[in-house]
């Protein structure tokens, strides 16, 4: 991994000194870094994923062998946010085909249906097992497969946490189920089953990515840790905007993945950083510009995909320590789910009243 950036000033040097012991605490999964009683207590296993995800390799090999034996060469992933962004980056980077459905727009869903549904393997990814959009996708594809005279259990693969309602119902239906680590949050799940299952089915060699991530992990608490250096830069060099660009990069979609990671993790309690994905360095707005290949950026971070995944997860949580927010809670995500469920319930009960728009 190579980092190209500006020289350190006194302000950033003091931040580096502050972060070094924090990084060592992070490596041993100290959940008190962001205060007492935070969601970190059950969200830190992403730190171990470069090693622990190797336990999935036999399951992934068996799953890929089954898919090849059935000639299921059209992989469709249904998942929202953290369940779909990382697999999209992985398959694009390794030039593999993956269709991602992360919408409820009927026209987009219909356009995403494989031309030959008998050759499709449908991956349903939902951490909670209760994601309304993803469960709708599952119901849709179950019905579509049956209408085409196909057995859904021979085409559907489920990725969810152990013990969820989706886990239980899928096993009862005879579906292939891969359980993810329940102590890893969605946006930190790139190297978990959520990122690896669809990528493996698409033909990506997962072990290479895990090797790269594990190798870099050993450096992230060192004096020259790139995670510490970049977190300090994001804290001292911009009050808000971070421009991210895949311009000339070999990792298409990486900026979009980092955008969600930083935005959802930092943006709360009237604090945060605002990541903005741009096409070209010249499109940068006020703030810091970051690229992943040499170009006219304030900061260039070159590395393999496995390195980038684990690096930016470390950067994000260290930045959250500096701006004093819990990187793992998600109040607005929970609020949106609750409001959506409330609206759907009122539609089912026939009590829904269409709100009148208010313009200001």
């Amino acid at each position: 991994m190579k980092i190209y950036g500006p020289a350190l000033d006194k302000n950033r040097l003091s931040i580096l000194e502050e972060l070094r012991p924090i990084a060592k605490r992070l490596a041993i999964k100290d959940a008190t870094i962001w205060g007492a009683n935070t969601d970190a207590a059950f969200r830190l296993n992403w730190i171990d994923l470069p090693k622990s995800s190797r336990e999935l390799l036999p399951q992934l090999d068996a799953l890929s062998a089954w898919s090849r034996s059935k000639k299921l060469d059209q992989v469709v992933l249904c998942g929202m946010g953290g369940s779909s962004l990382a697999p999209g980056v992985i398959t694009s980077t390794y030039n593999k085909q993956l269709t991602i459905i992360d919408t409820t727009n009927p026209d987009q869903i219909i356009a995403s249906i494989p031309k030959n549904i008998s050759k499709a393997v449908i991956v349903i990814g939902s951490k909670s097992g209760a994601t309304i959009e993803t469960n709708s996708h599952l119901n849709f594809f179950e019905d579509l497969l049956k209408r085409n005279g196909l057995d859904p259990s021979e085409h559907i693969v489920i990725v969810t946490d152990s013990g969820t309602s989706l886990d239980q119902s899928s096993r009862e239906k005879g579906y292939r189920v891969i359980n993810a680590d329940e102590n890893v949050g969605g946006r930190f799940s790139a190297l978990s089953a959520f990122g690896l299952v669809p990528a493996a089915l698409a033909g990506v060699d997962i072990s290479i990515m895990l090797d790269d991530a594990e190798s870099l992990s050993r450096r992230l608490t060192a004096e020259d840790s790139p995670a510490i250096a970049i977190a300090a830069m994001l804290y001292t060099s911009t009050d808000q905007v971070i421009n991210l660009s895949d311009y000339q990069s070999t990792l298409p979609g990486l900026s979009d993945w980092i955008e969600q990671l930083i935005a959802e993790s930092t943006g709360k309690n009237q604090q945060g950083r605002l990541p903005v994905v741009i096409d070209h360095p010249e499109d940068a707005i006020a703030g810091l510009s970051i690229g992943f290949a040499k170009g006219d950026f304030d900061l260039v971070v070159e590395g393999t995909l496995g390195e980038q995944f684990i690096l930016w997860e470390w950067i994000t949580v260290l930045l959250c320590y500096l701006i004093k927010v819990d990187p793992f809670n998600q109040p607005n995500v929970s609020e949106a789910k609750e409001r959506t469920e409330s609206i759907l319930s009122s539609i089912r009960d026939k009590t829904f009243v269409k709100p009148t728009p208010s313009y200001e």
Side-chain angles (χ1 to χ4, degrees):
M1 171 158 278
K2 296 180 180 179
I3 310 295
Y4 305 93
L8 297 174
D9 57 28
K10 290 182 179 180
N11 184 28
R12 201 174 317 144
L13 280 170
S14 67
I15 298 298
L16 288 174
E17 292 302 318
E18 182 180 354
L19 282 180
R20 285 186 178 118
I22 299 301
K24 287 181 168 57
R25 289 169 60 190
L26 179 59
I28 60 173
K29 297 193 285 189
D30 181 351
T32 66
I33 290 172
W34 303 275
N37 302 317
T38 71
D39 288 5
F42 46 91
R43 284 290 180 266
L44 285 174
N45 278 6
W46 58 270
I47 295 169
D48 301 328
L49 288 178
K51 286 185 178 181
S52 62
S53 283
R54 295 181 188 280
E55 298 173 7
L56 289 172
L57 292 179
Q59 293 183 73
L60 297 179
D61 288 343
L63 195 63
S64 297
W66 161 76
S67 179
R68 289 193 301 271
S69 71
K70 297 291 185 178
K71 295 182 171 53
L72 305 179
D73 55 8
Q74 299 180 48
V75 186
V76 178
L77 170 63
C78 301
M80 306 300 292
S83 296
S84 61
L85 284 170
V89 181
I90 297 170
T91 50
S92 295
T93 296
Y94 289 95
N95 197 30
K96 303 295 184 180
Q97 293 297 315
L98 176 68
T99 298
I100 296 175
I101 298 178
D102 59 356
T103 177
T104 54
N105 182 291
D107 293 335
Q108 290 186 38
I109 293 173
I110 291 171
S112 300
I113 297 173
K115 291 181 179 179
N116 187 349
I117 193 67
S118 69
K119 299 293 184 182
V121 55
I122 314 297
V123 182
I124 303 293
S126 173
K127 177 176 175 58
S128 67
T131 307
I132 296 171
E133 299 91 338
T134 309
N135 284 339
S136 299
H137 299 152
L138 173 59
N139 293 337
F140 172 79
F141 277 104
E142 284 177 329
D143 180 66
L144 180 65
L145 289 163
K146 289 175 182 176
R147 284 192 282 110
N148 280 271
L150 299 169
D151 180 356
S153 68
E154 290 299 313
H155 293 268
I156 290 176
V157 175
I158 305 294
V159 184
T160 187
D161 284 359
S162 176
T164 66
S165 58
L166 178 61
D167 181 31
Q168 296 169 359
S169 62
S170 298
R171 292 183 187 279
E172 291 169 0
K173 294 174 182 177
Y175 295 162
R176 288 165 175 81
V177 179
I178 306 292
N179 288 138
D181 189 327
E182 62 187 26
N183 289 325
V184 176
R187 56 187 174 276
F188 289 84
S189 65
L191 297 174
S192 77
F194 288 105
L196 303 186
V197 168
L201 285 168
V204 176
D205 185 346
I206 297 303
S207 59
I208 295 174
M209 197 163 54
L210 294 176
D211 287 344
D212 291 343
E214 183 179 359
S215 178
L216 182 64
S217 291
R218 301 190 195 106
R219 287 183 50 202
L220 297 181
T221 57
E223 284 286 309
D224 62 345
S225 165
I228 294 173
I230 296 172
M233 186 174 184
L234 298 188
Y235 182 67
T236 59
S237 299
T238 177
D239 292 330
Q240 190 173 58
V241 175
I242 302 169
N243 299 277
L244 300 162
S245 176
D246 294 336
Y247 179 68
Q248 294 188 333
S249 168
T250 58
L251 307 175
L254 180 61
S255 292
D256 293 303
W257 177 78
I258 296 173
E259 177 189 37
Q260 190 207 21
L261 179 66
I262 293 178
E264 276 196 25
S265 299
T266 71
K268 60 201 77 166
N269 301 341
Q270 304 300 312
Q271 298 295 323
R273 292 296 183 269
L274 178 63
V276 179
V277 177
I278 58 175
D279 292 327
H280 191 277
E282 294 179 356
D283 299 330
I285 58 178
L288 189 67
S289 64
I290 300 175
F292 308 102
K294 288 184 180 179
D296 189 19
F297 299 103
D298 298 317
L299 176 68
V300 174
V301 184
E302 291 185 334
T304 66
L305 186 56
E307 290 175 325
Q308 296 281 10
F309 278 151
I310 196 67
L311 173 69
W312 285 96
E313 288 169 348
W314 272 68
I315 291 168
T316 300
V317 298
L318 291 175
L319 176 61
C320 287
Y321 161 78
L322 292 171
I323 63 177
K324 296 179 173 55
V325 298
D326 178 0
F328 306 105
N329 72 343
Q330 44 190 34
N332 294 119
V333 174
S334 300
E335 179 187 12
K337 288 183 177 181
E338 290 168 2
R339 290 192 177 193
T340 301
E341 179 56 41
S342 175
I343 291 172
L344 291 175
S345 295
S346 67
I347 292 173
R348 285 192 294 266
D349 298 340
K350 298 183 179 180
T351 59
F352 176 71
V353 177
K354 185 177 180 179
T356 302
S358 174
Y359 298 98
E360 294 183 2

